[in-house]
Amino acid sequence: MADHIYLDPEISQLLALKKLHSAEPSPLESLSRRELDIVLKITQGLDLETIAKKLCISPKTLHTYRYNIHKKLHINNDVELIWLLKDSGLFNLN
């Protein structure tokens, strides 16, 4: 466990949303819990069909959620979502 920090998923989620050391709010603060679940699954590299199955929602419902996520975050696609998260320090591409 040397050099690694282990946090409960809910705690790490709260830390990511609060960005404790920054005066700027996280771009994810405007998202609902369900939208945040979808964002996290997208960042895990899951395809949309798998995400819909894991969340027990229809593909059409998932597309509606993604549309709302993109609108709230002022982005056009999932690539921009990843870059937004990276630029906000909430996602590491390494």
Side-chain angles (χ1 to χ4, degrees), residues 15-81:
L15 289 173
L17 291 175
K18 294 216 180 231
K19 289 190 68 175
L20 296 175
H21 301 296
S22 174
E24 273 186 50
S26 167
L28 301 180
E29 287 182 9
S30 64
L31 301 182
S32 70
R33 178 171 225 102
R34 182 61 124 187
E35 290 167 339
L36 187 57
D37 286 342
I38 292 167
V39 166
L40 294 175
K41 299 237 182 303
I42 290 169
T43 63
Q44 293 169 356
L46 298 177
D47 63 80
L48 298 180
E49 183 178 330
T50 302
I51 294 171
K53 285 180 183 177
K54 284 185 175 280
L55 297 178
C56 299
I57 59 176
S58 73
K60 184 175 180 175
T61 300
L62 177 59
H63 285 284
T64 300
Y65 275 116
R66 284 180 62 236
Y67 173 81
N68 291 335
I69 291 165
H70 292 172
K71 187 173 179 178
K72 286 180 179 181
L73 298 178
H74 308 288
I75 58 174
N76 296 310
N77 55 54
D78 291 341
V79 172
E80 289 181 19
L81 173 64

